[in-house]
Each structure stands twice: as structure tokens, then as C-alpha cells.
């Protein structure tokens, strides 16, 4: 396997996990940035890397993407909570001939779940007696809600199930009242519990039964491995890519 020089933008829970996987796969970490050494986050330093892997915060990710574009360094983005700016970033990346790989979830298991979720939504067009709801559970430090993964699942449902046209998020932490679910709406309930890396459940519920499509991450290894494989994949490519461009299903 070939070896690449990696800049880690964000050295928290994910950055540290990615470092382990990258070293195991024979790569070199040439830059590690967190909030304590932002003075080292320069275009000059980024130019020393073949690729950057970005797992920071919703507030800092856009600035980091811009810096990588300026440095001409391909960037893999795992940070969530910024996708309302996605179309602008995509246009800039394509018109200026940069490289961006983005995914709300890098794990193979979740990407299989994304695929099944779309198939299931198509099937459920024929069964109007079922309503659909979603639940996502994450650790207490997570800054955004609903999770990027839950939003991708919701978009997969809205694109394929005719009776649903919009999603609505609800953080169930005792501070918000449960929103009223409308027939065309998809309610995403977010729960925050100690130590949970990420659990997502799509449920179709009728008066007589319930179908659950559930993914449970046991740890962060799947996300980290996917991000490193994406970094290896994007070093030789220009444009905007996501997991379905890299996976063969
Ligand atoms: N796409 C996926 O598969 C996936 C999986 C897990 C987490 N995530 C997302 O990744 C992000 C990071 O998650 P985490 O659990 O590692 O969070 P974390 O809070 O543990 O780490 C965030 C890190 O970013 C650093 N940081 C702050 N400002 C920065 C800046 N300007 N530049 C670079 N780094 C900066 C912080 O110091 C910290 O080290 C979150 O948005 C999370 O939702 C995505």
C-alpha cells in the first residue's frame, strides 16, 4: 500500500482514532491541529500534506476547507452541522479545481444502512398504513442535532417515499416540547446519552406492527477507517466526492 502525508484538522475523539488507523496503514501524520495550536494552521503547513482529514466543529469546518483550497491540499471532511453551505462549497471546489471528499458518516455499515433505507422507503409507498419516524442517540458532547447521519437518512426517505416531503428535528432533553407530527413530515428525535458513538433507528409503525431499520456503532473505528480510506482514494482525484463514489454498491 502507498503511504501519504496526512494533516489532521481536529484532534479530538475522532482525530485521535484516525491517527491510530492512519499509522497502522503506514501513513505519516505531518500536522495535528486542535484549538490549542491554531497558530500552526497555515497554508504553508497544509502544503506539506498530501491530504487533510477534517473532524473539528460545525463553526470551524468552513474556514478549514477554505484554507485547504488555498493550499491546494485535498480535504476529507467528516465534520457535520455545516451542510446548509454545501452547495456554495461544492461550486467553489469545482470551479477552482480542488478536491473535497465529504460524508456525514464514513462507516461501511451505515452506508449499507443508507442504501437499504432508500429501498425500504420505495417499498413503503405501497403501504400507506405505516407512518415513519426516526431516532438518533449520541454522546453528550455532540454539538449538532439531528446528527448528519440522521439528516442523510431523512433525505433518503424524502427522496423515495412520496407521502413525506420534509423532516423536523427534536432534541428530547426536557427543554423542547415534542413537535406535532404532520402526515407529510418526518420527525427525528435526538437523544443524548453518555458514551454513545452513534445509534440510528428508522421505524415504520402501523396499528398492527412495526419495522425497525437500526444501525448501532460499537465504537469510532468504522468512522475512522472510512475516513483514512477516503483520504487514500482522493489524493489522486479532483472534484467533489462522497461515499457512494468510492463504494461499489
Ligand atoms: N462523518 C463521520 O463519520 C463522523 C463520525 C463521528 C463524528 N463526526 C463529526 O466529526 C466532528 C468531530 O467529532 P469529535 O467527536 O472528534 O469531536 P471532538 O469535540 O472530540 O473534537 C473536535 C476537535 O476539534 C478541535 N478544534 C477546534 N477548533 C478547531 C479548528 N479551528 N481547527 C481544527 N480543529 C479545531 C478541538 O480542539 C477538538 O480537538 C463532529 O462534527 C462530529 O459530528 C463525523
Amino acid at each position: 500500500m502507498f503511504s501519504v502525508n496526512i494533516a489532521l484538522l481536529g484532534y479530538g475523539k475522532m482525530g485521535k482514532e484516525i491517527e491510530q488507523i492512519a499509522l497502522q496503514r503506514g501513513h505519516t501524520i505531518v500536522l495535528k491541529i486542535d484549538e490549542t495550536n491554531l497558530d500552526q494552521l497555515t497554508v504553508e503547513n497544509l502544503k506539506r500534506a498530501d491530504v487533510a482529514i477534517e473532524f473539528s466543529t460545525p463553526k470551524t469546518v468552513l474556514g478549514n476547507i477554505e484554507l485547504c483550497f488555498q493550499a491546494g491540499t485535498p480535504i476529507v471532511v467528516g465534520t457535520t452541522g455545516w451542510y446548509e453551505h454545501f452547495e456554495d462549497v461544492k461550486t467553489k471546489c469545482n470551479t477552482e479545481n480542488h478536491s473535497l471528499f465529504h460524508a456525514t458518516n464514513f462507516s461501511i455499515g451505515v452506508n449499507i444502512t443508507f442504501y437499504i433505507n432508500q429501498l425500504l422507503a420505495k417499498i413503503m409507498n405501497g403501504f400507506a398504513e405505516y407512518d415513519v419516524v426516526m431516532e438518533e442517540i449520541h454522546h453528550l458532547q455532540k454539538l449538532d442535532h439531528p446528527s448528519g447521519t440522521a439528516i442523510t437518512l431523512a433525505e433518503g426517505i424524502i427522496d423515495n417515499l412520496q407521502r413525506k416531503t420534509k423532516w423536523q428535528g427534536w432534541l428530547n432533553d426536557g427543554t423542547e416540547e415534542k413537535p406535532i407530527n404532520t402526515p407529510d413530515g418526518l420527525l427525528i428525535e435526538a437523544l443524548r446519552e453518555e458514551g454513545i458513538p452513534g445509534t440510528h433507528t428508522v421505524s415504520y409503525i402501523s396499528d398492527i406492527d412495526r419495522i425497525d431499520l437500526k444501525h448501532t456503532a460499537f465504537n469510532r473505528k468504522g468512522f475512522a477507517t472510512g475516513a483514512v480510506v477516503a483520504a487514500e482514494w482522493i489524493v489522486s482525484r479532483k472534484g467533489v466526492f462522497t461515499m457512494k463514489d468510492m463504494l461499489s454498491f
Side-chain angles (χ1 to χ4, degrees):
M1 197 201 312
F2 66 103
S3 165
V4 291
N5 291 330
I6 298 175
L8 291 179
L9 308 184
Y11 192 58
K13 290 181 283 299
M14 279 305 299
K16 293 188 174 87
E17 197 76 46
I18 288 164
E19 179 179 39
Q20 296 306 314
I21 303 282
L23 294 175
Q24 281 165 24
R25 292 176 74 91
H27 304 310
T28 305
I29 308 297
V30 293
L31 187 66
K32 278 187 238 181
I33 299 291
D34 68 8
E35 63 201 341
T36 64
N37 66 344
L38 292 174
D39 55 315
Q40 291 179 36
L41 181 54
T42 62
V43 168
E44 268 318 293
N45 279 342
L46 285 169
K47 281 184 176 165
R48 290 168 36 224
D50 300 314
V51 60
I53 304 184
E54 215 286 351
F55 280 74
S56 68
T57 74
K59 284 207 175 106
T60 52
V61 55
L62 290 175
N64 290 345
I65 294 173
E66 174 57 33
L67 277 177
C68 286
F69 285 177
Q70 286 175 26
T73 305
I75 180 169
V76 174
V77 177
T79 302
T80 52
W82 62 279
Y83 275 83
E84 68 271 28
H85 303 287
F86 178 70
E87 286 305 320
D88 292 342
V89 172
K90 182 178 173 184
T91 302
K92 191 170 178 48
C93 184
N94 283 328
T95 52
E96 296 179 5
N97 203 25
H98 301 302
S99 311
L100 170 75
F101 194 114
H102 65 94
T104 57
N105 200 304
F106 281 93
S107 96
I108 298 294
V110 162
N111 281 275
I112 293 168
T113 307
F114 284 159
Y115 186 65
I116 297 170
N117 174 58
Q118 292 178 358
L119 287 182
L120 182 57
K122 267 196 194 105
I123 291 169
M124 297 314 278
N125 278 312
F127 303 96
E129 62 272 32
Y130 288 86
D131 197 11
V132 55
V133 293
M134 202 189 306
E135 180 190 88
E136 59 103 333
I137 314 174
H138 281 87
H139 55 87
L140 297 170
Q141 294 80 34
K142 185 161 177 63
L143 297 176
D144 52 322
H145 65 84
S147 67
T149 304
I151 294 172
T152 303
L153 284 165
E155 288 170 349
I157 293 168
I158 288 164
D159 288 348
N160 290 285
L161 182 62
Q162 283 152 15
R163 59 185 178 274
K164 295 294 173 185
T165 59
K166 60 189 179 199
W167 59 263
Q168 186 178 10
W170 172 43
L171 179 61
N172 184 1
D173 65 350
T175 62
E176 291 179 15
E177 253 186 51
K178 182 173 182 176
I180 294 162
N181 204 8
T182 55
D184 61 342
L186 168 58
L187 192 61
I188 308 174
E189 180 177 357
L191 297 163
R192 296 292 170 257
E193 295 174 15
E194 189 64 49
I196 305 284
T199 301
H200 294 84
T201 312
V202 174
S203 301
Y204 287 84
I205 304 168
S206 75
D207 288 342
I208 54 167
D209 64 2
R210 167 183 181 127
I211 305 165
D212 287 332
L213 175 63
K214 181 173 184 178
H215 180 272
T216 307
F218 297 150
N219 52 51
R220 294 182 172 80
K221 278 198 178 70
F223 312 137
T225 304
V228 176
V229 172
E232 294 162 0
W233 190 86
I234 203 183
V235 281
S236 55
R237 290 176 168 83
K238 294 278 183 196
V240 178
F241 305 97
T242 189
M243 291 297 276
K244 69 173 166 22
D245 300 309
M246 190 173 73
L247 298 173
S248 56
F249 60 86

